[in-house]
Amino acid sequence: MRFKRPAFARSIRNKLLAGFVLTTIIIAGIICYVTSTSYRAKIIERYEYVGMGITSTIANRLNGDQIMRYLNAGEPDGYYDIVLDEINTTQEQFDALYIYVCIPEENDVLYIWSDHFSGEETIGFTTGYAQGGKEWMQGRLYGREDELLKFVDDPVFGQIATAAYPVHNSQGRPVALVCVDFLVDQINTEVLTMNLIIVTCVFTLMLIFIVVYSTFANRHLVRPIEKLTTAAKELTENLDKDHAYKSDIHTQDELEELSLAFEKMDVELRDYIDQNMNITAAQERINADLDTAANIQESQLPSTFPAFPGRYDFDIYASMTPAKTVGGDFYDFFLVDEDHLALVMADVSGKGIPASLFMMISKLLIQSRVMMGESPAEALNNTNAQLMQNNAAHQFVTVWLAVIDLKTGKGIAANAGHEHPAIRRANGKYELVVYKHSPPVATMKRMKFKEHEFELFPGDSLFVYTDGVAEATDSNNELYGAERMLEALNKNPDAKPKEILKNVMDGIDEFVKDAEQFDDITMLSITYNGPDATKPEEPEASEDEQETGN
Amino acid sequence: MEFKTTKEDTKLTVAIAGRLDTLSAPDLEKGLEPELAGITDLVLDLKDLEYISSAGLRVLLGLAQVMEKQGNMKVTNPGDAVMDVFSVTGFDDILNIE
């Protein structure tokens, strides 16, 4: 599967490139600014040098006294023309805008020589000062101005730089200024040209770098990351296959390290999953064993109904609903001989496999003792003695055990710490038979259990159960209780044993609702019909059956 | 279920409160096991015990069997509900209840 990159995602390469372009622009800007500034300074320095050279050379060769005479007489002579020629030559030679000799007066500048006199302009021609020009020119004349160049924005020519040097007379007094004007718009043009060259160079280099860098980034950054991304996406899909990630990134940096770590992780993950599968398999085996144990346990309890086809002197039904897979409750019923029926209801303390093992032993011991002809108390005495021989887990079992003579309805029962049975006399209601019980089986050595006699008459019913019934708990921790159990029993007291059990179970289900079942729920119900009972005509109608029994 | 132990020399008093059932009984069993060494008198105060199930009885029986070897065990102040369980199950014959 090809990993689709989400629409919002940007390539790491593009991000790095964007960062690089931005950095380049900033660096180019800084280079341009620094070179422009220093270049401009250099050029100004050059103009200062040339300007000072021209003006000082001319000024030093001029006769200051002669200038005063031109000012007074106003007529040019031979000397004047020689100087003018020199000025014109110098102007051409140095590509200056203007060269002139002038006297900065109070309001105007008065010219003596100028290379650009035209028409009637001659000695004594005046112009106004440019902005700020007066202070500077007078300053230069009297030697109190250090600024060598004066920049002026001329509306016709653009920016002009002026250099000036004073001419002294024979008394050593300054009388005039030699000035040279340079058109310096070219400075800006030159700086601009230089910046263009710089920018072009930088961006050409950047383009070359980007191409090289992109190739590098693709090979050493983007593709390895994409490989890892694909591997990570495919990891979960390939886990069940023998297809571990093999690192083929050789960037010799963190990415290769990551790739190797990923390879290691894949291997470890597979190991972990293998282990987990083994554990799960082991767990499943245990569960299967538990199920088998539950089946074995269940098969120990008589569960075929009707249990004694062809016998109509009693009707019996029993059920066990374990809370865990295997429980500690059990019931049992069996014929000791043709006329004697044994009934067992028991509850082993605790839950799970330990309880179920104890239950199996208890059940077999009780059954074999009773089958040997022992009375309920004798059977429990001997069972107790055998269970107490090895009982490291302090387990015990509550047992209600009865043997009924089916011919007479007379019975003997022993109650070793078990719940009170419920009895229902013919046409009456179910009620609890409350009496003092013996302690549970396997609590003390050499126990002597008590037993008592009872009698069932045709139509009478017995209901025995474990504490899972009375102690069924709802989500508020409230107990179902014996009262509610009796209510369920008496909902239809004439019901046959199977329905009686269903009525109680329904009552419990309705009470506990969704709460988890904590204890095994085991019940047994028997209706005694008397020795003369015959097959009921209406098998569904229990009333008829009882009437027949009577 | 909650329990609190008080030890004086070789006498250990355990006050048990709440519900001692399938879920909580193992906690009590495990909690008391290390405390029992050298104890000659064990007193279980059940004044605040609301309910005891067969799993709880099993823990009490285990304690009684341990104490049978090393001293005495006494159960005090069981409430009516707990006492009913003791008498129905015949545990009142096994335990020394006061």
Side-chain angles (χ1 to χ4, degrees):
Chain A
M1 187 196 79
R2 177 83 191 151
F3 170 50
K4 271 192 203 145
R5 185 178 289 126
F8 58 82
R10 296 190 180 91
S11 167
I12 189 166
R13 174 188 49 202
N14 294 347
K15 281 186 189 171
L16 288 171
L17 279 181
F20 176 71
V21 170
L22 194 68
T23 313
T24 311
I25 288 170
I26 290 169
I27 288 173
I30 291 170
I31 291 174
C32 286
Y33 175 77
V34 170
T35 46
S36 303
T37 312
S38 64
Y39 184 75
R40 191 183 285 274
K42 273 263 187 291
I43 293 197
I44 286 170
E45 204 180 305
R46 203 181 74 203
Y47 276 113
E48 281 173 357
Y49 180 74
V50 174
M52 288 314 286
I54 292 170
T55 51
S56 63
T57 307
I58 295 174
N60 288 337
R61 286 170 59 192
L62 277 181
N63 185 336
D65 300 335
Q66 191 67 26
I67 290 170
M68 294 313 290
R69 276 197 286 277
Y70 288 134
L71 193 60
N72 292 332
E75 280 298 315
D77 54 10
Y79 176 75
Y80 184 90
D81 289 337
I82 291 166
V83 171
L84 189 61
D85 274 350
E86 198 175 329
I87 285 173
N88 283 333
T89 313
T90 312
Q91 186 263 333
E92 278 168 26
Q93 201 179 338
F94 287 94
D95 197 23
L97 184 60
Y98 301 128
I99 298 178
Y100 48 93
V101 180
C102 64
I103 299 163
E105 296 196 310
E106 190 56 32
N107 295 316
D108 296 307
V109 182
L110 193 151
Y111 293 88
I112 306 298
W113 280 281
S114 175
D115 61 353
H116 63 286
F117 279 157
S118 60
E120 293 176 6
E121 293 168 8
T122 180
I123 301 166
F125 176 73
T126 59
T127 59
Y129 283 109
Q131 184 73 33
K134 182 182 167 185
E135 288 75 20
W136 181 76
M137 286 180 93
Q138 291 184 347
R140 289 299 296 160
L141 182 64
Y142 297 110
R144 57 172 188 256
E145 175 63 60
D146 295 331
E147 201 72 44
L148 297 181
L149 283 183
K150 174 73 185 168
F151 290 90
V152 174
D153 281 321
D154 186 278
V156 181
F157 296 105
Q159 200 174 35
I160 289 167
T162 306
Y165 201 86
V167 182
H168 295 88
N169 63 10
S170 51
Q171 278 88 49
R173 287 185 55 202
V175 292
L177 271 181
V178 181
C179 296
V180 56
D181 286 359
F182 292 108
L183 195 56
V184 291
D185 266 359
Q186 71 211 57
I187 297 180
N188 292 334
T189 316
E190 278 172 40
V191 167
L192 198 67
T193 311
M194 193 184 63
N195 282 349
L196 268 174
I197 291 166
I198 290 169
V199 167
T200 309
C201 288
V202 167
F203 277 83
T204 308
L205 279 173
M206 188 182 78
L207 265 177
I208 294 167
F209 180 84
I210 282 173
V211 171
V212 173
Y213 173 80
S214 284
T215 317
F216 179 85
N218 265 340
R219 188 174 303 155
H220 294 275
L221 199 64
V222 178
R223 266 185 231 140
I225 288 174
E226 276 177 356
K227 268 186 200 170
L228 279 170
T229 310
T230 310
K233 288 294 283 184
E234 291 177 351
L235 180 65
T236 47
E237 290 169 17
N238 289 331
L239 277 179
D240 52 340
K241 294 173 205 146
D242 200 16
H243 184 70
Y245 173 75
K246 197 86 196 109
S247 173
D248 63 342
I249 294 170
H250 308 288
T251 51
Q252 296 187 340
D253 56 13
E254 290 89 340
L255 278 169
E256 187 170 347
E257 206 179 326
L258 176 65
S259 176
L260 290 170
F262 192 87
E263 183 180 313
K264 192 160 169 269
M265 184 195 76
D266 196 1
V267 171
E268 281 171 2
L269 197 58
R270 277 159 204 281
D271 283 354
Y272 174 75
I273 287 169
D274 278 353
Q275 275 175 21
N276 221 3
M277 274 164 73
N278 288 339
I279 291 167
T280 312
Q283 190 64 48
E284 271 168 14
R285 275 197 297 279
I286 290 169
N287 285 344
D289 284 354
L290 270 175
D291 284 345
T292 313
N295 285 337
I296 293 170
Q297 190 190 27
E298 216 176 299
S299 68
Q300 295 300 302
L301 308 182
S303 57
T304 313
F305 297 101
F308 304 101
R311 287 197 76 127
Y312 306 107
D313 44 355
F314 65 94
D315 184 9
I316 193 165
Y317 198 85
S319 73
M320 181 184 77
T321 314
K324 288 188 182 175
T325 320
V326 287
D329 278 11
F330 70 95
Y331 65 83
D332 201 6
F333 54 83
F334 50 90
L335 285 166
V336 182
D337 56 40
E338 194 65 15
D339 299 326
H340 289 86
L341 176 68
L343 303 172
V344 186
M345 178 57 61
D347 179 1
V348 174
S349 61
K351 295 270 183 312
I353 294 284
S356 74
L357 289 173
F358 203 77
M359 164 254 165
M360 297 279 271
I361 302 164
S362 309
K363 181 178 170 295
L364 283 171
L365 286 173
I366 291 168
Q367 190 193 24
S368 57
R369 289 289 166 182
V370 173
M371 287 301 282
M372 281 160 65
E374 292 181 359
S375 76
E378 285 168 353
L380 292 187
N381 288 346
N382 291 323
T383 300
N384 182 64
Q386 279 181 280
L387 286 175
M388 282 307 281
Q389 281 173 10
N390 279 307
N391 188 10
H394 307 309
Q395 284 175 297
F396 61 86
V397 54
T398 68
V399 184
W400 177 85
L401 169 61
V403 178
I404 302 170
D405 183 337
L406 294 167
K407 275 205 170 128
T408 61
K410 288 185 178 175
I412 298 173
N415 193 330
H418 201 77
E419 309 291 308
H420 302 296
I423 195 164
R424 185 238 178 185
R425 294 301 176 186
N427 301 320
K429 282 187 172 297
Y430 279 96
E431 44 198 45
L432 295 180
V433 188
V434 180
Y435 54 92
K436 182 82 179 72
H437 299 164
S438 301
V441 176
T443 51
M444 286 195 301
K445 283 179 182 170
R446 288 181 292 282
M447 265 295 287
K448 293 290 174 208
F449 291 90
K450 296 190 198 91
E451 61 185 15
H452 62 274
E453 293 178 358
F454 66 97
E455 191 167 3
L456 289 180
F457 300 98
D460 288 357
S461 296
L462 262 179
F463 176 79
V464 285
Y465 52 94
T466 56
D467 58 3
V469 175
E471 291 172 7
T473 311
D474 70 4
S475 52
N476 299 322
N477 270 344
E478 197 177 330
L479 299 180
Y480 181 59
E483 287 302 315
R484 289 193 184 86
M485 182 187 76
L486 287 173
E487 268 173 43
L489 286 169
N490 289 321
K491 194 176 160 195
N492 179 16
D494 291 328
K496 290 170 76 175
K498 187 177 178 180
E499 288 162 54
I500 282 291
L501 263 54
K502 186 177 180 298
N503 287 345
V504 176
M505 202 64 202
D506 288 349
I508 294 171
D509 286 344
E510 202 180 310
F511 176 76
V512 303
K513 298 204 170 65
D514 297 332
E516 197 192 342
Q517 182 189 339
F518 282 125
D519 207 351
D520 307 341
I521 294 173
T522 309
M523 300 180 279
L524 182 149
S525 176
I526 180 171
T527 300
Y528 178 61
N529 297 324
D532 305 324
T534 54
K535 185 179 182 181
E537 283 170 23
E538 297 267 352
E540 294 301 317
S542 52
E543 283 167 1
D544 292 352
E545 203 178 330
Q546 281 172 357
E547 273 162 21
T548 316
N550 282 329
Chain B
M1 191 277 300
E2 278 171 14
F3 68 93
K4 207 175 83 183
T5 58
T6 320
K7 197 172 175 183
E8 302 166 35
D9 295 333
T10 59
K11 180 183 175 183
L12 184 71
T13 306
V14 186
I16 308 169
R19 295 168 55 86
L20 191 58
D21 54 21
T22 315
L23 294 177
S24 58
D27 296 341
L28 181 67
E29 191 173 22
K30 285 201 192 85
L32 288 185
E33 203 184 334
E35 308 260 349
L36 290 178
I39 297 296
T40 57
D41 285 285
L42 179 65
V43 179
L44 302 181
D45 184 355
L46 307 187
K47 186 162 67 72
D48 296 318
L49 186 66
E50 296 160 16
Y51 168 76
I52 185 163
S53 78
S54 65
L57 291 174
R58 194 181 134 255
V59 176
L60 261 53
L61 180 66
L63 291 171
Q65 284 168 350
V66 170
M67 290 312 295
E68 204 176 324
K69 287 172 198 152
Q70 59 190 61
N72 298 307
M73 182 174 110
K74 214 161 56 177
V75 175
T76 61
N77 307 319
D80 288 346
V82 172
M83 196 59 215
D84 279 351
V85 174
F86 285 157
S87 58
V88 167
T89 55
F91 262 75
D92 53 350
D93 289 344
I94 306 170
L95 301 173
N96 179 11
I97 302 172
E98 282 185 4

